[in-house]
Each structure stands twice: as structure tokens, then as C-alpha cells.
Amino acid sequence: MEDVQAAAPGPTGAPAPTAIGRRSSLRITAASLLGALSGYVVLAVVARSVSLEENAVFVTFWSALFTMYGVLTGMGTETARSVAQAGLHPGVAGRSSVAAAVRVGAGVVGLGGLLLAATGLHVFDAEHQVLAFVVALSAAAYAVEAVLLGALSGRGRWDAYAGMLGLEAIARVVLVGAVAWVAATVTNVAVASGAAAAMWLVMVAVSRDVREVFRAELDAPLRAYLGRVSFAATASGASAVLLVGFPVLVKMTTDKAIFDLAAPLMLAISLTRAPIMVPLTSFQSVIVAQFVKNRSGAGRTLTRAVAALAALGVVGGAAAYLVGPWLMAFLFGPDYRVEGWVLAGMTVASVGTAILTITAALTQALRRQVAFVAGWLVALVVSVGLLLTGLPIDQRVVGALLIAPYAGVVVHAVAIVRELRRPVAAAA
């Protein structure tokens, strides 16, 4: 039996979107888990290759890099929605293409990132300011990947989608491992980490599906598409801070002397979130595309996803409490011990962030852009407020991670319920 069945081509001859099948779903899951595993490996390799203080710098870089990637995920999810929608109603005049989105997206992100790096954002000290330029250049490369992943998702080209995810993860481990072996400095391993975002070039060379999506239609002219992307990028920017950029937020709200000794806590944030959030983030474009194609079943799908995540959080939290401290010391060395209650709290907190991510995807698929952005911004504001309470750093971090996401979920849930109650004809 074929894994997916494509709908008949539209009037223009463009392939219609295809539903995801079991085999492709497993491949995307495997590639996403490989991405999570690669993050563990990179963090472990760097932790054992540089000093504790240098690793605090690298973890900050890692968070800044993946925060930028997270911002650009908004381009991918909007591209997925736009391409999927265009596939349902092909042949409309005046539409733009994925190729145009790639050119504009990479140019704007690259130029904007370099300008920000040149002005000297207060994330890195003067000695490590070059890392800001590494983040900017890697983000420009990832902008292309984000658009291509979105287009592949919107077209239902799941095997190529999984291949691009997997290739980037493997390349990052190989590059960082090689550099750490030869010349382990913070700058060198940072460059190696950022360079993996350019692996889409290999996929363009070897995959016909990837080359073909450059010609895929968007569901609107380029200007309208970019307007929607700006909404998506604003929301994904707030989400990226909560998902992967949280150590940067902690650094900006914590005394330098305290933060310099907080590398174990910052690593714990990344490690406890990765098992749920990395696969889920990789699936965001898939989620949006599926919600667009199956609006009537969106509520049931959301309910099942929340129940599954809650169960996973309970099991993961218990495991983190029991074996987490030992695992941290085993992976990163005796200097990286974190209390069990902190690891359990962070693991359970990742469930709230995962639920917020799914409600955001459904809100975006329903084209409730203001609520989509507002949910993430509310969660971010609550998070910052909790980090500024003056409590010990571990209590501030766990409290912010646990409470803030649900403030955003409430905003999304109100919009979702209102939209799903509207007749389909009125919502179209």
C-alpha cells in the first residue's frame, strides 16, 4: 500500500497537497528525535571540551542561535499554511511563489541580523562579540531551510521534509565533534554549530522534491504573504524565547556573578525541554498543514494531543526526579549537578509549553493571527515578570517555566472555541 495518496492535480497541473501517512510520520518522528539527540550530543561534547565559564558563554550562544531559528519557524509554518491552502484552490492569478519567499526571507534576515550584530546586542561580552555575527549568518541560512520545510509540508512531501531535518542534525554533530577534537574553543564550536543550517544546499542538489517546491504557489501575493509572516515571526519570536532562548532571558535578568556559575541550570533547561519540544517544533508545519485540511476534526485532535502530553509529562517528571541528577553528572561531569526537584519541575513545565505550541498552531491554522501573536506575547510577559521577582535563580526559573505558558494557552483557547463554533461557510 502506498504511504500517501495524492489528490488529482489542479487546473494548473500543480500537485495537490498529500495527507501524511504512517511511514512518513515515522520518518519525521525519527528525524525529529535525531535532532533532539544531536542537541544532547553537542552540549555534552562542548561541556567536556571547555571550562565551566566558557560553557556558560556557549550555552548562551546556543540559546541565541536556536531563538533565531525559532523566530524563523514562523516563516515555515506560514509557508506551510499558504502552500497547503494554495493546493486546495490552485490556479488563482496574482499569487507569488516559494522561490520569491526564499529570496526575500534570506535577504531580510541576513541583513537585519548583521545590522543587529554590528550594533552590539548585550548578549555577548566584547571578547565574544563575533558570536553575534555567527548567529546572524546562520539565521540567514536557516531562513531558506524554514521556507523550504514549510513548502515541503504544505505540498505533503514528507520524505524530503524528514531528510532535511535529519541531515541538519547529523551535520551539526559531525561538525562540532570534529572541531572539538581539533581545536575546542567557544568560537570554533559555535561556527560549526551554525554552519549546519546550510545543509539545505545538499538537499537541493540531491532531492527533486526540494527543487520542485521552489516553484510551489503561495495562496497570496508576496506582500500579503510577508504581512502574515510578520505576524507569525512575532509570535514565534516570543515562543522561541520561551522554548529555546530561555537562558538568554535568564542572563538578562540575573546578576553576572550568579549567571557565570549557572551553566548546570542552563543546560538542565535545554535537556528537560528537548525530549518534548524538539520533535514538536519540527512537527509545527505538519500540524498547521493538517489543521488546515481537517478543520472539522481540529478540536478532537487538540484534546487527544493535550491528554497525551499530560501523561508524558507525569512520567517524564518522575523519571527526571529519580535519575536526572545522576544523568547530568554522568553526561557533563561532576560540576553539573542539579537537584531532582528542579529537573522534575522543568520537565513537567515543558508540557505546558508544548500545549501552548499546539494551541498556537491551531490558532494560526484558523487564521486568528491577532490571538496567535497575543498568546505568545502574554506568556512571555508573564515569564519575564516571574523572573524579576528576586527569588533564588532556580525558583525563579522553574516558576516561570511552569506558570507562564498557561497564560498564553488561555488566550489561544478563547479564540479557538469562538472560531470552531462559527459555521464553516462563515469562517472560510
Side-chain angles (χ1 to χ4, degrees), residues 315-337:
V315 174
Y321 180 82
L322 294 172
V323 303
W326 170 84
L327 187 60
M328 286 283 295
F330 174 76
L331 289 174
F332 304 109
D335 291 333
Y336 288 85
R337 285 197 175 275

Side-chain angles (χ1 to χ4, degrees), residues 3-31:
D3 184 49
V4 293
Q5 294 209 341
T12 61
T18 55
I20 189 168
R22 183 171 180 272
R23 185 183 67 186
S24 292
S25 180
L26 289 174
R27 288 179 179 176
I28 296 173
T29 301

Side-chain angles (χ1 to χ4, degrees), residues 220-276:
L222 185 60
R223 184 173 180 177
Y225 164 81
L226 293 175
R228 292 172 185 166
V229 164
S230 66
F231 269 100
T234 300
S236 59
S239 72
V241 173
L242 294 173
L243 299 180
V244 291
F246 204 79
V248 175
L249 202 59
V250 176
K251 182 179 187 297
M252 296 174 70
T253 56
T254 303
D255 181 82
K256 184 178 185 301
I258 296 175
F259 185 81
D260 285 345
L261 301 177
L265 190 63
M266 297 305 100
L267 271 178
I269 294 172
S270 299
L271 295 177
T272 53
R273 295 165 90 70
I276 292 179

Side-chain angles (χ1 to χ4, degrees), residues 90-115:
V92 178
R95 289 174 169 175
S96 191
S97 68
V98 168
V102 165
R103 289 193 298 270
V104 174
V108 170
V109 171
L111 180 60
L114 289 173
L115 288 174

Side-chain angles (χ1 to χ4, degrees), residues 182-204:
V182 175
T185 68
V186 171
T187 300
N188 289 347
V189 292
V191 170
S193 297
M199 288 300 107
W200 58 266
L201 289 166
V202 177
M203 290 298 296
V204 170

Side-chain angles (χ1 to χ4, degrees), residues 206-228:
V206 303
S207 172
R208 185 177 65 180
D209 282 344
V210 175
R211 292 192 296 272
E212 285 181 349
V213 295
F214 279 94
R215 299 193 296 272
E217 281 189 337
L218 305 174
D219 71 339
L222 185 60
R223 184 173 180 177
Y225 164 81
L226 293 175
R228 292 172 185 166

Side-chain angles (χ1 to χ4, degrees), residues 148-422:
L148 292 178
L149 286 172
L152 289 167
S153 178
R155 275 283 185 91
R157 301 301 181 255
W158 308 114
D159 289 351
Y161 182 98
M164 191 173 292
L165 290 176
L167 180 61
E168 182 192 357
I170 293 170
R172 182 164 285 113
V173 170
V174 171
L175 291 171
V176 170
V179 168
W181 179 268
V182 175
T185 68
V186 171
T187 300
N188 289 347
V189 292
V191 170
S193 297
M199 288 300 107
W200 58 266
L201 289 166
V202 177
M203 290 298 296
V204 170
V206 303
S207 172
R208 185 177 65 180
D209 282 344
V210 175
R211 292 192 296 272
E212 285 181 349
V213 295
F214 279 94
R215 299 193 296 272
E217 281 189 337
L218 305 174
D219 71 339
L222 185 60
R223 184 173 180 177
Y225 164 81
L226 293 175
R228 292 172 185 166
V229 164
S230 66
F231 269 100
T234 300
S236 59
S239 72
V241 173
L242 294 173
L243 299 180
V244 291
F246 204 79
V248 175
L249 202 59
V250 176
K251 182 179 187 297
M252 296 174 70
T253 56
T254 303
D255 181 82
K256 184 178 185 301
I258 296 175
F259 185 81
D260 285 345
L261 301 177
L265 190 63
M266 297 305 100
L267 271 178
I269 294 172
S270 299
L271 295 177
T272 53
R273 295 165 90 70
I276 292 179
M277 292 312 308
V278 171
L280 185 60
T281 302
S282 299
F283 267 100
Q284 269 187 279
S285 294
V286 179
I287 293 169
V288 171
Q290 294 304 302
F291 278 147
V292 168
K293 297 168 194 173
N294 185 26
R295 175 190 169 95
S296 61
R300 292 188 299 275
T301 301
L302 177 61
T303 301
R304 288 195 295 266
V306 169
L309 286 168
L312 183 60
V314 171
V315 174
Y321 180 82
L322 294 172
V323 303
W326 170 84
L327 187 60
M328 286 283 295
F330 174 76
L331 289 174
F332 304 109
D335 291 333
Y336 288 85
R337 285 197 175 275
V338 178
E339 293 184 58
W341 74 267
V342 174
L343 295 171
M346 289 181 176
T347 303
V348 173
S350 68
V351 173
T353 310
I355 293 171
L356 178 59
T357 301
I358 293 177
T359 58
L362 178 51
T363 307
Q364 185 180 23
L366 295 173
R367 298 172 72 172
R368 295 297 297 266
Q369 302 293 349
V370 174
F372 170 60
V373 174
W376 283 114
L377 291 179
V378 167
L380 178 58
V381 169
V382 172
S383 183
V384 172
L386 291 168
L387 286 175
L388 291 171
T389 56
L391 294 170
I393 186 171
D394 53 357
Q395 295 178 25
R396 287 189 289 126
V397 166
V398 173
L401 292 173
L402 274 170
I403 297 170
Y406 291 103
V409 169
V410 170
V411 176
H412 289 156
V414 170
I416 290 168
V417 170
R418 287 178 177 174
E419 185 66 23
L420 291 180
R421 284 177 175 173
R422 295 174 64 196

